């Protein structure tokens, strides 16, 4: 609820202004004026009051519509009644001057009475009054009803003209008591809309009529005070409806601008800090990427008459794919490729852990099972389950050994869902899917898988493509599917392995920065 902002300096200025106006009105304007001139001057003051209270009614109605406060309802209703009575009074003064006493009683004094009474609506604080008077139509209906009541009273008083003097005194006394009660209510309740200065002007206007009830001078002075009171009410309401909200809005905008500038500084600082942290993380990931890829074998190597080409395309800086080709002894070569579930740091760490186990430096131990893929994967499964790693971590692996003398390839799959493709020199295509196995996961407490290797003898000119599922996942990487990669292998059976590798590389290269899954492949040419 908005408080009145009439400060002490304004209070002094307005009081002095009131006194000056009353002195000028009393000393200069009344001096030497005849009754006709006084009557015209009085009509001018009443007309000024009509204008002032019309503006006041508009301002208070706006306040009533925008603020939850019964004071605005009361001021709106009282202003409408007062300006209606003022219009009737000025018309009767112009065309029926002989009935001036009745005009004062009915249309001016009663207008003041209804206006003062309307200011007591917040004291009553009756919800039905609030609901009823909030309607513009109902405000007009109530005003017309009061006007009709006043017409009835004027007719009665016209018939009882001998009692008019007593009625004037009675109405003026009632207005004094009513306005004093209003001043007391404003003082005690510290009303947040009504101000004491215009209320005291109303009190003074009524006191003047009590002290000198039947002179035109007194009516002019009283009406002038009522007009000044209405002017001050309008100033105060306009101050509350527009000036205070605008000032509050400006203050809020100023505070918002300050806050925005400070917030921008804070955001810029935090952004700089976050960027620094992100850059450090990126640098660390790049370093980890270099370490991971340094563990990979060369992408082109030859053992006696066997040639290998490989490709490695991580979808992130750190990959969940890994592979290796290495010599076990004079007669045997081992190769494997694995695919850890997920991507990023955790998957990369798992690939390095797996590589550390599968490339054990203890040759006397490793040779016992490296030439037998099923034993290698079985040992790996047991070792994996002894590690204190999250239960959800798992991977698939394909492990194979090749005998350089007999050309026998022994292989075993640990859950790998993409069988290597063997392309015979004759053009026949064979999938290496005869082995049995299970993914490497933490299920040793519930399940002990059995791994069985399969064997196939290769001929001179045979070619095998080993790969992870990222190469043939058309939905994720949009490069190959199973049908197209088999077709690629068949069409390339007469060209050397390097040309085939270049073709696959060129196919992947445009998409390497937008991959959704890691791609790893090894081409073995016998």
């Amino acid at each position: 609820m908005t408080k009145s902002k009439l400060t002490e300096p304004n209070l002094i200025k307005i009081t002095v202004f009131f006194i000056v106006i009353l002195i000028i009105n009393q000393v200069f304007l009344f001096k030497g004026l005849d009754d006709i001139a006084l009557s015209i001057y009085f009509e001018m003051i009443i007309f000024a009051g009509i204008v002032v209270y019309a503006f006041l009614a508009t301002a208070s109605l706006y306040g009533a519509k925008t603020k939850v406060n019964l004071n605005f309802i009361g001021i709106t209703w009282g202003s409408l009644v007062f300006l209606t009575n003022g219009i009737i009074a000025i018309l009767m003064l112009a065309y029926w001057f002989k009935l001036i006493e009745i005009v004062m009683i009915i249309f001016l004094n009663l207008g003041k009475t209804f206006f003062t009474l309307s200011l007591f609506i917040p004291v009553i604080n009756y919800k039905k009054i609030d609901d009823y008077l909030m309607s513009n139509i109902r405000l007009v209906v109530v005003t017309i009803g009061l006007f009709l009541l006043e017409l009835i009273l004027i007719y009665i008083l016209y018939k009882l003209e001998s009692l008019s003097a007593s009625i004037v005194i009675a109405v003026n006394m009632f207005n004094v008591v009513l306005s004093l009660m209003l001043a007391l209510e404003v003082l005690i309740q510290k009303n947040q809309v009504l101000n004491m200065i215009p209320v005291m002007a109303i009190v003074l206007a009524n006191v003047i009529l009590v002290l000198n009830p039947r002179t035109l001078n007194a009516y002019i002075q009283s009406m002038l005070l009522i007009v000044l009171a209405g002017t001050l009410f309008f100033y105060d309401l306009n101050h509350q409806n527009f000036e205070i909200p605008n000032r509050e809005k400006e203050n809020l905008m100023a505070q918002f601008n300050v806050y925005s500038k400070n917030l921008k500084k804070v955001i810029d600082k935090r952004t700089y800090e976050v960027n620094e942290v992100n850059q450090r993380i990126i640098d660390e990931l790049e370093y980890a990427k270099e370490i991971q890829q340094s563990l990979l074998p060369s992408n082109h190597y030859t053992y006696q008459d066997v040639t290998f080409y490989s490709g490695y395309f991580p979808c992130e800086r750190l990959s969940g794919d890994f592979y290796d080709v290495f010599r076990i002894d004079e007669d045997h070569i081992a190769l494997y490729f694995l695919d850890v579930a997920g991507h990023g740091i955790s998957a990369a760490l798992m690939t390095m852990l797996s590589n550390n186990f599968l490339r054990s430096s203890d040759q006397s131990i490793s040779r016992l099972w490296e030439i037998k893929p099923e034993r290698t994967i079985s040992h790996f499964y047991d070792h994996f389950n002894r590690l204190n790693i999250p239960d959800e971590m798992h991977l698939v692996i394909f492990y194979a050994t090749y005998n350089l003398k007999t050309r026998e390839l022994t292989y075993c799959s640990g859950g790998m869902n993409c069988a290597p493709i063997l392309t015979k020199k004759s053009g026949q295509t064979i999938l290496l899917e005869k082995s049995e196995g299970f993914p490497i996961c933490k299920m040793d407490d519930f399940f002990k898988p059995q791994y069985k290797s399969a064997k196939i003898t290769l001929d001179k000119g045979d070619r095998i493509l080993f790969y992870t599922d990222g190469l043939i996942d058309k939905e994720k990487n949009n490069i190959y599917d199973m049908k197209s990669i088999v077709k690629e292998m068949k069409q390339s059976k007469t060209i050397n392995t390097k040309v085939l590798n270049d073709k696959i590389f060129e196919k992947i290269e445009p998409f390497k920065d937008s991959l959704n899954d890691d791609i790893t492949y090894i081409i073995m040419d016998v």
Side-chain angles (χ1 to χ4, degrees):
M1 191 178 292
T2 308
K3 294 185 178 181
S4 178
K5 297 297 181 182
L6 287 179
T7 58
E8 186 174 348
N10 288 334
L11 179 63
I12 296 172
K13 291 177 183 178
I14 292 169
T15 303
V16 172
F17 176 74
F18 274 0
I19 294 172
V20 170
I21 291 294
L22 291 174
I23 291 174
I24 292 173
N25 184 67
Q26 182 67 33
V27 175
F28 295 101
L29 296 180
F30 281 23
K31 188 175 182 180
L33 296 179
D34 55 22
D35 288 344
I36 296 177
L38 285 176
S39 178
I40 295 173
Y41 177 56
F42 188 34
E43 290 179 20
M44 292 174 59
I45 293 177
I46 296 174
F47 181 77
I50 292 172
V51 174
V52 167
Y53 280 87
F55 279 105
L56 179 59
T58 304
S60 57
L61 184 60
Y62 175 83
K65 297 295 185 182
T66 57
K67 300 179 177 68
V68 183
N69 193 306
L70 286 174
N71 281 117
F72 295 106
I73 299 293
I75 294 173
T76 302
W77 178 53
S79 299
L80 287 173
V81 174
F82 185 86
L83 70 90
T84 302
N85 285 17
I87 292 171
I88 300 300
I90 200 170
L91 290 175
M92 295 191 71
L93 279 171
Y95 297 104
W96 201 3
F97 187 72
K98 293 185 295 182
L99 294 178
I100 189 170
E101 290 290 349
I102 298 176
V103 171
M104 296 306 138
I105 293 170
I106 300 300
F107 294 105
L108 296 181
N109 287 354
L110 286 182
K112 289 189 298 180
T113 303
F114 286 128
F115 180 76
T116 309
L117 277 172
S118 70
L119 301 182
F120 275 94
I121 285 180
V123 179
I124 301 171
N125 200 17
Y126 190 51
K127 188 67 171 66
K128 290 185 178 179
I129 295 177
D130 181 17
D131 295 338
Y132 191 82
L133 294 179
M134 272 301 290
S135 168
N136 295 344
I137 297 176
R138 289 170 182 170
L139 278 172
V140 174
V141 170
V142 171
T143 304
I144 294 173
L146 289 173
F147 174 67
L148 293 176
L149 176 62
E150 289 174 336
L151 288 179
I152 295 172
L153 288 175
I154 193 172
Y155 178 77
I156 295 173
L157 291 174
Y158 178 73
K159 294 296 184 180
L160 302 173
E161 190 174 350
S162 60
L163 299 177
S164 60
S166 301
I167 293 174
V168 169
I169 295 173
V171 172
N172 290 336
M173 288 295 296
F174 178 74
N175 283 343
V176 170
V177 173
L178 193 60
S179 57
L180 285 173
M181 290 174 59
L182 179 62
L184 187 62
E185 188 272 334
V186 173
L187 183 64
I188 295 175
Q189 299 296 331
K190 295 181 179 178
N191 192 286
Q192 293 179 314
V193 173
L194 301 180
N195 194 277
M196 182 59 74
I197 299 175
V199 172
M200 290 307 299
I202 294 173
V203 173
L204 183 58
N206 292 324
V207 169
I208 289 174
L209 290 181
V210 170
L211 296 178
N212 200 359
R214 298 182 66 85
T215 65
L216 191 56
N217 187 313
Y219 282 121
I220 292 175
Q221 287 284 55
S222 176
M223 183 54 61
L224 183 60
L225 283 167
I226 294 298
V227 174
L228 292 174
T231 304
L232 187 54
F233 274 129
F234 174 75
Y235 165 79
D236 210 12
L237 287 181
N238 187 67
H239 188 68
Q240 295 182 53
N241 287 339
F242 299 104
E243 294 181 17
I244 292 176
N246 286 339
R247 189 181 302 121
E248 291 175 348
K249 179 182 177 182
E250 290 173 359
N251 292 337
L252 185 61
M253 288 301 297
Q255 293 175 4
F256 178 76
N257 290 335
V258 172
Y259 178 75
S260 298
K261 292 178 181 178
N262 292 335
L263 182 61
K264 185 178 184 304
K265 291 179 181 178
V266 172
I267 292 175
D268 290 344
K269 181 180 178 182
R270 296 301 183 208
T271 302
Y272 176 77
E273 293 173 351
V274 169
N275 288 339
E276 276 195 327
V277 172
N278 286 342
Q279 189 57 50
R280 287 200 297 270
I281 294 173
I282 291 171
D283 292 343
E284 291 293 333
L285 288 174
E286 286 293 336
Y287 189 59
K289 173 184 175 181
E290 293 178 9
I291 294 175
Q292 183 186 36
Q293 295 189 8
S294 69
L295 299 175
L296 295 171
S298 171
N299 62 355
H300 175 219
Y301 33 87
T302 301
Y303 294 106
Q304 296 182 11
D305 57 350
V306 181
T307 302
F308 295 91
Y309 281 89
S310 62
Y312 181 76
F313 300 87
C315 67
E316 296 180 7
R317 285 183 173 85
L318 296 175
S319 173
D321 283 5
F322 201 82
Y323 72 98
D324 199 2
V325 179
F326 56 95
R327 194 156 188 167
I328 301 173
D329 54 30
E330 291 293 328
D331 298 330
H332 294 90
I333 297 172
L335 69 84
Y336 71 85
F337 59 97
L338 57 86
D339 186 356
V340 179
H343 312 286
I345 297 174
S346 59
L349 289 174
M350 185 57 64
T351 63
M352 297 172 74
L353 179 149
S354 302
N355 177 70
N356 184 59
F357 176 80
L358 294 170
R359 289 294 303 268
S360 173
S361 60
D362 189 345
Q363 296 296 323
S364 61
I365 296 176
S366 63
R367 192 178 184 281
L368 294 176
W369 42 269
E370 280 179 340
I371 59 175
K372 296 183 177 181
E374 75 278 7
R375 293 180 63 185
T376 300
I377 298 179
S378 180
H379 278 77
F380 186 33
Y381 180 88
D382 294 338
H383 177 72
F384 187 90
N385 277 270
R386 288 193 296 269
L387 296 175
N388 186 24
I389 57 177
D391 292 342
E392 64 271 13
M393 292 292 295
H394 64 281
L395 60 92
V396 292
I397 184 173
F398 187 93
Y399 196 98
T401 59
Y402 179 69
N403 191 310
L404 293 168
K405 290 183 177 180
T406 64
R407 293 180 183 165
E408 185 178 64
L409 181 75
T410 305
Y411 64 90
C412 184
S413 173
M416 185 66 71
N417 62 347
C418 40
I421 302 169
L422 167 62
T423 304
K424 304 291 288 183
K425 187 176 181 180
S426 62
Q428 180 187 6
T429 299
I430 301 172
L431 296 180
L432 304 184
E433 53 184 1
K434 301 296 185 180
S435 68
E436 298 179 10
F438 192 75
I440 308 300
C441 57
K442 299 203 71 173
M443 294 188 64
D444 199 39
D445 294 338
F446 312 99
F447 176 67
K448 181 66 175 177
Q450 297 296 318
Y451 294 96
K452 293 182 180 179
S453 294
K455 295 183 180 181
I456 188 170
T457 300
L458 304 177
D459 298 320
K460 187 71 174 176
D462 288 350
R463 181 178 291 160
I464 304 175
L465 175 66
F466 303 92
Y467 58 94
T468 58
D469 60 355
L471 182 67
I472 60 170
D473 195 330
K474 191 77 171 179
E475 183 176 338
K476 286 185 177 180
N477 292 333
N478 195 31
I479 299 174
Y480 287 107
D481 54 20
M482 190 63 185
K483 185 177 180 180
S484 61
I485 194 65
V486 170
K487 182 179 179 181
E488 185 80 81
M489 292 293 291
K490 283 184 177 181
Q491 292 176 345
S492 304
K493 63 184 176 57
T494 58
I495 62 177
N496 64 47
T497 309
K498 182 180 184 307
V499 176
L500 173 60
N501 181 66
D502 290 343
K503 288 180 67 177
I504 297 176
F505 185 90
E506 289 172 3
K507 184 81 172 179
I508 299 172
E509 179 68 18
F511 303 97
K512 69 176 184 178
D513 294 328
S514 59
L515 298 176
N516 292 311
D517 195 10
D518 303 319
I519 294 177
T520 300
Y521 68 87
I522 305 171
I523 304 173
M524 177 180 175
D525 199 15
V526 178

